[in-house]
Amino acid sequence: MKIHRCYPVAIIQAALLAIASPVAHAEDTTTDEHVTRKEYDELKAQLLAMKKELDALKKERTVAPKRESSESQAVARTASTQGNPEGEDVADLHKEVTPAVARSVGESVGSLLGTTKFLLAGWTEGMFEARNGQVSTFSASFNPIFLWELTPKLLFDSRLEIEPSGGGTNVNLVNAQLSYLLNDYMALGVGEFFSPSNVFVERFEPQWINKLPDRPIGVYHGVLPNISVGAQVRGGFPIGPTRANYAFYVSNGPVLNTFDARTAGTLDFNSYTDNNDNKAVGGRVGFLPIPGVEVGYGFETSKPGFQGTTFHDVQALVQSVDLEVTRDSDLLKGRINLFAQYAWSHVDHSVYDPDGSLGFGPLPLTAKRDGGYAELAYRPTKFDTDFLRNLELIFRWDHLSRDPSGLGDPEETRWTLGLDFWLSPSTVVKAAYEWDQPDGQPNKNALLLQAAMGF
């Protein structure tokens, strides 16, 4: 009751002071043309006391709303049963004042925090790998993804990769991008983002989405860019009954390897700072002729040579094609997924170590390299047995051509057979065996086991 009575008193006092202050000031200016210091200090003290009292009441309102609501209901019930007019007036006044105070407090909190929305997503995984010629080992990683909506049009996304290494923990920033939605068909992005021409990295890399424990070699070993630092524009639009999507970007370019015989002519996409004033330009265009089917073409062109060297005008071009098919089959009583991508890298003719100072030249060559993968998965989603519906069978072929100089890594082709068991839509246990036979080298066959969970 005491708290309820304070609200109207405080409001009335505030209103009277607000009205009286200009009147008093007007009267003083007609007589003395100023307010005395004593009057000013007294008025200031009264206003401060009122502010503290209102702040205390607002705080109590937010801390114990349920208790006060119960008290007001009890007052209303008592007044109703006893026919107490004063109780009815207090209850009615409380109903009027409480929403006003709540709105005031809500507006204050809203102005302080804004209208942002935040989501923590990502995945975690643990893996065991036993590969021929290497020591078997366990590994684990945690990959948090931070999604922040500052406004309905202004978005931020970022991902960290956290994994044990040696005697410590490695923390890597994978991407960090600020995006602005111009309209329903176009968005602008700036920062560190997944390269649109590498479909696997952009769409399938998370280990609870990737159907096999490891990743295809053709899209990671210097044939396609993985991460780009720059700016991009992307979106999609309908074309009659079909749809198309696009992404174009300008970014720091790759680095041309020139100092080692084994890697001469290859592109290093892991250096995120540029080595010259030329920037890489690339993108991808996708087309969906029917639901569940998408074909795409991607490219990136750049000048990867160091500025001020004989390689500064060397041109590099990377091109790729990709296919994605998802179909439900009544005949096979399940769902079929087909993912495939193949890429070609071409670096203009150049002479590496022309004066022989590095010990392997002169080595003239036109650097060409290619690689890719095709993956087919089947899940019996239309079977009656829960156990069978949660199984998924996967087959993958992936390939990587040899290093352009012929002195580095040989050509390598792998065949992988895997079986997944889905504990939930985002939690999977995987087992796979990989037949890996690099040309002219002992096999690197491997047994792979993994558990992954997305959240």
Side-chain angles (χ1 to χ4, degrees):
M1 294 294 293
K2 181 179 179 180
I3 295 176
H4 298 162
R5 294 177 186 275
C6 288
Y7 276 103
V9 172
I11 294 172
I12 293 170
Q13 288 179 348
L16 290 175
L17 285 173
I19 298 172
S21 295
V23 175
H25 180 69
E27 291 176 354
D28 288 342
T29 54
T30 57
T31 57
D32 300 331
E33 297 185 354
H34 68 277
V35 177
T36 65
R37 184 66 184 185
K38 181 179 180 181
E39 292 173 336
Y40 171 82
D41 290 339
E42 291 177 351
L43 182 58
K44 181 179 179 182
Q46 293 176 11
L47 290 174
L48 290 175
M50 287 178 55
K51 184 177 182 301
K52 290 181 180 179
E53 184 178 3
L54 287 174
D55 289 342
L57 291 174
K58 290 179 181 179
K59 184 177 180 180
E60 187 170 353
R61 290 286 84 190
T62 59
V63 171
K66 292 184 178 179
R67 177 176 59 83
E68 292 189 17
S69 176
S70 299
E71 292 177 359
S72 65
Q73 292 174 2
V75 170
R77 286 195 299 267
T78 303
S80 176
T81 56
Q82 296 180 358
N84 186 351
E86 182 181 357
E88 293 177 359
D89 293 340
V90 172
D92 292 340
L93 184 58
H94 175 72
K95 292 178 182 179
E96 296 177 2
V97 172
T98 300
V101 174
R103 285 195 301 270
S104 176
V105 173
E107 291 171 359
S108 299
V109 174
S111 63
L112 178 63
L113 300 180
T115 58
T116 65
K117 297 178 181 178
F118 177 79
L119 175 65
L120 175 63
W123 78 90
T124 184
E125 56 93 12
M127 180 170 170
F128 173 77
E129 178 177 353
R131 188 173 294 275
N132 187 33
Q134 300 179 14
V135 176
S136 61
T137 184
F138 286 96
S139 61
S141 71
F142 172 54
N143 294 258
I145 299 175
F146 305 93
L147 304 173
W148 189 9
E149 181 185 289
L150 288 84
T151 72
K153 288 183 173 291
L154 192 58
L155 312 172
F156 174 80
D157 67 277
S158 180
R159 179 185 133 199
L160 297 178
E161 183 179 53
I162 306 171
E163 57 185 2
S165 177
T169 302
N170 283 340
V171 180
N172 298 315
L173 177 65
V174 179
N175 77 291
Q177 178 180 216
L178 184 64
S179 302
Y180 183 76
L181 306 181
L182 289 175
N183 50 51
D184 293 340
Y185 310 104
M186 183 179 296
L188 298 178
V190 61
E192 184 177 13
F193 51 86
F194 299 108
S195 300
S197 59
N198 195 331
V199 174
F200 183 88
V201 172
E202 190 175 60
R203 300 183 182 181
F204 308 125
E205 185 183 52
Q207 289 295 62
W208 68 276
I209 297 176
N210 180 17
K211 296 181 182 297
L212 289 172
D214 65 346
R215 300 175 174 98
I217 54 176
V219 297
Y220 279 92
H221 290 72
V223 181
L224 280 171
N226 298 335
I227 304 293
S228 298
V229 179
Q232 66 170 325
V233 56
R234 64 189 308 146
F237 51 87
I239 306 177
T242 67
R243 291 190 297 135
N245 55 64
Y246 66 89
F248 299 103
Y249 64 92
V250 56
S251 68
N252 294 333
V255 172
L256 179 64
N257 292 314
T258 62
F259 300 106
D260 185 88
R262 295 173 56 86
T263 60
T266 61
L267 299 174
D268 180 6
F269 292 103
N270 296 320
S271 181
Y272 301 137
T273 57
D274 215 335
N275 61 349
N276 55 46
D277 290 332
N278 295 293
K279 297 295 173 272
V281 176
R284 178 187 176 275
V285 177
F287 179 62
L288 292 81
I290 58 176
V293 177
E294 181 178 358
V295 294
Y297 166 78
F299 74 96
E300 180 179 289
T301 179
S302 63
K303 290 185 176 182
F306 280 90
Q307 190 162 306
T309 69
T310 57
F311 303 99
H312 73 279
D313 281 333
V314 173
Q315 192 79 32
L317 175 64
V318 175
Q319 301 182 84
S320 69
V321 292
D322 59 83
L323 172 67
E324 181 178 347
V325 179
T326 300
R327 307 294 290 178
D328 285 323
S329 171
D330 292 330
L331 178 63
L332 299 176
K333 301 184 69 175
R335 184 178 64 243
I336 298 174
N337 292 109
L338 172 62
F339 307 130
Q341 183 170 15
Y342 208 86
W344 300 265
S345 172
H346 180 279
V347 180
D348 287 347
H349 182 84
S350 190
V351 179
Y352 299 87
D353 188 22
D355 57 5
S357 60
L358 298 177
F360 64 89
L363 179 62
L365 60 90
T366 300
K368 296 181 180 180
R369 206 175 193 197
D370 59 87
Y373 76 98
E375 179 181 290
L376 182 65
Y378 165 72
R379 184 173 178 181
T381 55
K382 298 180 183 294
F383 276 63
D384 296 329
T385 307
D386 289 341
F387 179 80
L388 293 177
R389 285 201 301 266
N390 291 328
L391 290 174
E392 189 165 18
L393 184 66
I394 306 99
F395 171 78
R396 186 185 69 197
W397 166 89
D398 57 336
H399 171 79
L400 181 65
S401 66
R402 68 178 188 175
D403 280 331
S405 67
L407 303 174
D409 293 334
E411 185 170 294
E412 186 173 359
T413 301
R414 306 191 306 188
W415 308 82
T416 307
L417 184 64
L419 181 65
D420 293 354
F421 184 77
W422 291 89
L423 301 175
S424 77
S426 63
T427 305
V428 60
V429 178
K430 313 174 193 176
Y433 192 82
E434 191 169 82
W435 292 267
D436 186 356
Q437 182 64 66
D439 284 358
Q441 292 187 2
N443 75 74
K444 298 193 296 184
N445 296 350
L447 172 66
L448 308 170
L449 304 173
Q450 186 185 65
M453 180 181 70
F455 56 89

